[in-house]
Amino acid sequence: MKKISNFRFNSIAFGAILLIAAFNACQFASLAQPMPREEPGKPLTQSGGPRFVQPSEDIDAEITIPLARPVRGGGCAIDSQLNPINLTALAPQNKLARTASDYPTFLFYLPQTKATLAEFTLLDPSAKEIYKQTLPISNLSGTIEVSIPANKNVPPLEAGKTYRWSFTVICDSQDRSGDLLEMGTVRRVELSADIRSQLEKADPRQKSFIYAKNGIWQDAISTLAAARRAQPDDPTLKADWESLLDSVKLGKIAKEPIVQIEEFQPQP
């Protein structure tokens, strides 16, 4: 009887050891599973749409590239109930972007204001103005595009150089201290042979993915915006747009319309 009791005790003890081992193994396996988290330059992904990955050196450069002039408060009358979103550049959070284009396109969200004019300016690395455009914005609200014209009067952006841009809503032409203002930089980069090869085989939608994952924001957003203009009712492109803007924390702007600005005709 004593031998049987010892056998039962030993069996129970051995079974307990197996259970503990199995429990520890499960714990170890669960700890080994990667936890979803947002790493610098690598936002959490969602299926289907392009996601922008900012190059690490651009993230690190956030505090080393000063703005051309301080951002001032807005003096335009904006109804926060009708316009919950302020003037916003469609750009990475630190306003540092890249382009592979000689003449890139910039995008901004424009809230409804009483202002009638806006102004876009582009400066070269030496702070010399190389382009300025006045834009009529009366009764206009939504996402707008500003394209640098490819003509002999505007020099192309040079590879390896960083340019500064500003977009200003002119609230009072007699007192510019109350302007609404957004500022940032764009760096012209050369594409690798591999990326160029991918782009040559890609349709406009696929190009936005290629640009986004390689950190070339300006071309990713402008390519996708052009595709949406061509097919405004395409649900896939709409979802792509929402995904791309969400990846730079601009999801609140994704549902706003893309609107056209008429070319400004200066008074004779």
Side-chain angles (χ1 to χ4, degrees):
M1 179 66 68
K2 185 175 182 181
K3 289 183 178 179
I4 293 174
S5 297
N6 288 339
F7 175 78
R8 287 178 178 174
F9 175 79
N10 291 337
S11 297
I12 293 171
F14 181 73
I17 291 171
L18 289 178
L19 287 174
I20 292 171
F23 176 74
N24 287 339
C26 290
Q27 274 195 318
F28 180 80
S30 64
L31 289 173
Q33 295 297 319
M35 297 296 290
R37 60 191 180 92
E38 186 172 336
E39 298 179 0
K42 294 185 178 180
L44 293 174
T45 59
Q46 64 186 46
S47 61
R51 306 288 289 180
F52 175 66
V53 179
Q54 190 169 34
S56 58
E57 55 266 38
D58 288 0
I59 297 174
D60 297 338
E62 179 176 0
I63 60 174
T64 65
I65 300 179
L67 295 176
R69 57 191 173 98
V71 177
R72 294 172 288 194
C76 296
I78 298 179
D79 189 329
S80 59
Q81 294 182 340
L82 296 177
N83 297 278
I85 309 173
N86 293 323
L87 174 67
T88 306
L90 272 59
Q93 285 188 291
N94 60 6
K95 302 297 191 298
L96 304 180
R98 296 186 177 204
T99 182
S101 175
D102 295 340
Y103 298 96
T105 295
F106 299 82
L107 289 91
F108 304 91
Y109 171 73
L110 181 70
Q112 184 72 56
T113 72
K114 294 182 179 180
T116 60
L117 295 175
E119 182 179 85
F120 176 85
T121 303
L122 184 66
L123 307 179
D124 70 11
S126 64
K128 176 184 177 182
E129 181 182 297
I130 59 174
Y131 181 68
K132 178 183 284 187
Q133 183 179 0
T134 302
L135 308 160
I137 59 169
S138 297
N139 302 313
L140 198 64
S141 178
T143 295
I144 63 171
E145 298 175 85
V146 180
S147 297
I148 308 300
N151 61 49
K152 63 181 181 180
N153 296 322
V154 182
L157 273 60
E158 297 183 40
K161 293 188 177 181
T162 299
Y163 298 76
R164 294 175 182 169
W165 55 261
S166 65
F167 183 84
T168 309
V169 173
I170 303 173
C171 299
D172 183 349
S173 59
Q174 303 301 315
D175 180 8
R176 299 291 299 273
S177 63
D179 288 354
L180 296 176
L181 175 66
E182 277 280 78
M183 305 181 72
T185 63
V186 61
R187 183 172 179 79
R188 169 74 165 82
V189 296
E190 290 283 13
L191 297 176
S192 68
D194 179 58
I195 296 176
R196 288 198 302 270
S197 177
Q198 293 178 46
L199 290 170
E200 289 172 359
K201 304 170 186 176
D203 61 25
R205 178 175 183 250
Q206 293 168 337
K207 287 180 179 179
S208 68
F209 280 78
I210 295 169
Y211 284 128
K213 73 178 183 179
N214 287 287
I216 307 173
W217 170 261
Q218 220 62 56
D219 301 2
I221 189 75
S222 60
T223 298
L224 190 52
R228 289 206 67 201
R229 283 200 315 273
Q231 303 179 68
D233 299 322
D234 188 316
T236 300
L237 292 175
K238 179 177 180 292
D240 286 351
W241 182 255
E242 292 177 355
S243 177
L244 183 60
L245 290 184
D246 177 70
S247 71
V248 292
K249 304 187 185 303
L250 293 178
K252 61 184 179 181
I253 294 175
K255 297 186 184 301
E256 298 295 326
I258 299 176
V259 296
Q260 293 288 107
I261 292 184
E262 296 181 4
E263 185 176 351
F264 180 70
Q265 299 294 337
Q267 296 295 325

